């Protein structure tokens, strides 16, 4: 497929015959979203510079702040942790890692092991939040698919870990493709609130930052390979590939109109208004943790698993280990 001839693309610098950093002409990486060609040796530095620009542009972290990086075991969060750790000293922020163990058999065990390996190699403190410690298992609840339940529980546990640890922010590995996917899904549901690169925190939620939001999926994959970082290559057995098939459309769009992915995200970001501030979260009637959804996702699962039992959960916080 060749690019559209009538697309008002900028000069296609990523087609240049040499690395924009060191000038070599061999082993070039051409990722159109990066705008320029880079050799494989210079690519990791180019990747980190791009993440750094994003951190600066959106003022994601301040000096002396401690950030918890949510690591799943996958490539995006591995690249994110490695990059934030790389910039840690120069910027005087402190990086820790948090992993939510979803307790779903072999897959979760593999993720936990890989995350342990990665954090040990970097010398980064790892906090593990285990779903099992709350006495629940991830099951579909009423009309919500397992993946949405999993996502809600993961977010709830990340919030709890962040508040308990006193982190200024929690960084997640959402990429440019993830952001565009989320925007389009919202538009298709008639929602006009754009997902934002930074969600300011409040008393119940640490700030959320997405430092990979200018990074396409294929770049984080190349980064972990070139930096030789451990990551889980298999997908979660519950993952429904159909839920991400719009990414195939983005890829075609990017091929036909290079740099259009970022352009569409930028334009949508301006066109979609900011989410109106919701009211303050109310305490969950079962466990007391602030939540926007009446019952918090963990207690919702506990009630679904045991409809007769509506007493307090077994533990409001997981044991220290
Ligand atoms: Zn180079
Ligand atoms: Zn609760």
């Amino acid at each position: 497929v060749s690019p559209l001839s009538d697309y008002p693309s900028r000069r296609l610098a990523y087609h240049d015959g040499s690395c924009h950093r060191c000038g070599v002409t061999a082993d070039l990486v051409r990722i159109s979203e990066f705008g320029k060609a880079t050799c494989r040796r210079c690519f990791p530095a180019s990747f980190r510079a791009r993440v750094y620009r994003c951190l600066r542009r959106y003022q994601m972290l301040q000096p002396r702040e401690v950030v918890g990086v949510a690591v799943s075991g996958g490539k995006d969060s591995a690249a994110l942790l490695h990059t934030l750790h790389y910039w840690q000293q120069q910027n005087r922020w402190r990086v820790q890692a948090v992993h939510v163990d979803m307790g779903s058999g072999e897959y979760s065990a593999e993720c936990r092991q890989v995350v342990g390996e990665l954090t040990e190699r970097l010398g980064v403190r790892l906090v593990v939040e285990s779903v099992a410690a709350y006495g629940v298992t991830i099951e579909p609840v009423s009309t919500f698919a397992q993946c949405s339940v999993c996502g809600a529980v993961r977010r709830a546990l990340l919030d709890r870990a962040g508040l308990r640890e006193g982190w200024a922010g929690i960084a997640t590995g959402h990429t440019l493709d993830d952001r565009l996917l989320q925007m389009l899904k919202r538009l298709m549901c008639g929602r006009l609130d754009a997902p934002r690169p930074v969600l300011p925190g409040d008393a119940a939620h640490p700030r959320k930052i997405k430092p990979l939001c200018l990074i396409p999926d294929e770049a984080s994959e190349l980064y972990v390979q070139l930096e030789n970082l451990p990551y889980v290559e298999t997908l979660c057995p519950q993952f429904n590939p159909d839920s991400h098939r719009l990414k195939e459309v983005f890829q075609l769009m990017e091929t036909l109109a290079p740099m259009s992915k970022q352009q569409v995200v930028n334009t949508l970001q301006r066109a979609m208004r900011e989410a109106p501030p919701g009211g303050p979260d109310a305490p969950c009637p079962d466990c007391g943790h602030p939540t926007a959804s009446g019952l918090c996702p963990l207690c919702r699962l506990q009630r679904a698993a045991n409809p007769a039992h509506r007493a307090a959960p077994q533990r409001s916080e997981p044991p220290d280990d």
Side-chain angles (χ1 to χ4, degrees):
V1 199
S2 50
L4 298 175
S5 57
D6 58 346
Y7 174 67
S9 171
R10 277 150 271 187
R11 194 173 68 88
L12 300 181
Y14 75 102
H15 278 142
D16 286 355
S18 59
C19 169
H20 81 280
R21 285 183 165 249
C22 74
V24 304
T25 53
D27 243 355
L28 294 182
V29 175
R30 299 181 199 278
I31 292 180
S32 60
E33 293 92 334
F34 274 49
K36 291 168 180 160
T38 314
C39 73
R40 289 171 82 83
R41 262 191 56 210
C42 292
F43 178 78
S46 179
F47 179 97
R48 288 190 289 264
R50 199 172 170 80
V51 175
Y52 192 66
R53 276 202 299 280
C54 184
L55 287 158
R56 295 294 294 261
R57 180 191 298 179
Y58 297 107
Q59 302 188 323
M60 290 180 168
L61 286 175
Q62 305 302 323
R64 283 179 294 280
E65 283 186 336
V66 185
V67 59
V69 181
V71 283
S72 63
K75 63 180 175 62
D76 298 327
S77 57
L80 175 63
L81 181 69
H82 189 265
T83 302
L84 288 184
H85 178 258
Y86 177 89
W87 293 117
Q88 166 173 266
Q89 201 166 10
Q90 180 183 328
N91 294 278
R92 291 177 294 138
W93 58 58
R94 211 142 50 84
V95 172
Q96 303 191 347
V98 53
H99 174 67
V100 178
D101 185 336
M102 303 310 292
S104 42
E106 251 174 66
Y107 177 73
S108 292
E110 190 188 354
C111 290
R112 189 161 168 169
Q113 193 213 323
V114 162
V115 161
E117 243 174 79
L118 175 68
T119 48
E120 204 179 304
R121 192 195 295 182
L122 296 175
V124 165
R125 174 171 174 254
L126 171 66
V127 173
V128 175
E129 288 289 300
S130 182
V131 169
Y134 290 85
V136 294
T137 48
I138 305 297
E139 305 279 357
V141 176
S142 65
T143 56
F144 295 101
Q146 182 145 338
C147 281
S148 347
V149 176
C150 187
V153 168
R154 189 189 300 269
R155 285 190 293 276
L157 287 184
L158 287 176
D159 277 344
R160 288 177 196 223
L163 292 178
R164 193 186 61 231
E165 301 293 333
W167 291 329
I170 292 182
T172 55
H174 291 93
T175 60
L176 177 63
D177 297 78
D178 293 331
R179 189 153 161 236
L180 184 51
L181 180 66
Q182 214 178 353
M183 280 177 162
L184 285 185
K185 282 186 169 176
R186 287 190 184 183
L187 284 177
M188 287 170 184
C189 301
R191 285 176 60 179
L192 274 175
D193 52 318
R196 283 172 288 166
V198 178
L199 278 177
D202 56 30
H205 311 275
R207 182 193 320 147
K208 302 282 165 43
I209 63 173
K210 299 168 188 167
L212 299 188
C213 69
L214 304 178
I215 300 285
D217 285 358
E218 64 173 315
S220 63
E221 184 160 9
L222 182 60
Y223 185 82
V224 291
Q225 287 164 2
L226 293 177
E227 288 289 348
N228 200 21
L229 304 179
Y231 71 104
V232 179
E233 279 180 75
T234 48
L235 293 171
C236 169
Q238 302 299 335
F239 177 74
N240 173 9
D242 285 345
S243 67
H244 279 55
R245 290 199 61 191
L246 271 174
K247 286 188 174 181
E248 296 166 20
V249 178
F250 307 160
Q251 215 40 59
L252 176 62
M253 181 178 81
E254 183 68 25
T255 310
L256 291 174
M259 297 173 115
S260 59
K261 226 189 254 176
Q262 184 66 59
Q263 192 57 54
V264 169
V265 164
N266 292 347
T267 308
L268 282 180
Q269 187 77 49
R270 289 203 305 275
M272 295 167 82
R273 61 179 155 70
E274 294 212 335
D281 287 0
C284 165
D286 282 10
C287 73
H289 194 86
T291 178
S293 52
L295 202 58
C296 85
L298 289 160
C299 295
R300 197 175 293 269
L301 273 177
Q302 283 173 339
R303 283 198 189 185
N306 194 358
H309 172 75
R310 298 204 162 183
Q314 296 169 340
R315 278 192 285 260
S316 60
E317 293 294 341
D320 293 320
D321 58 0

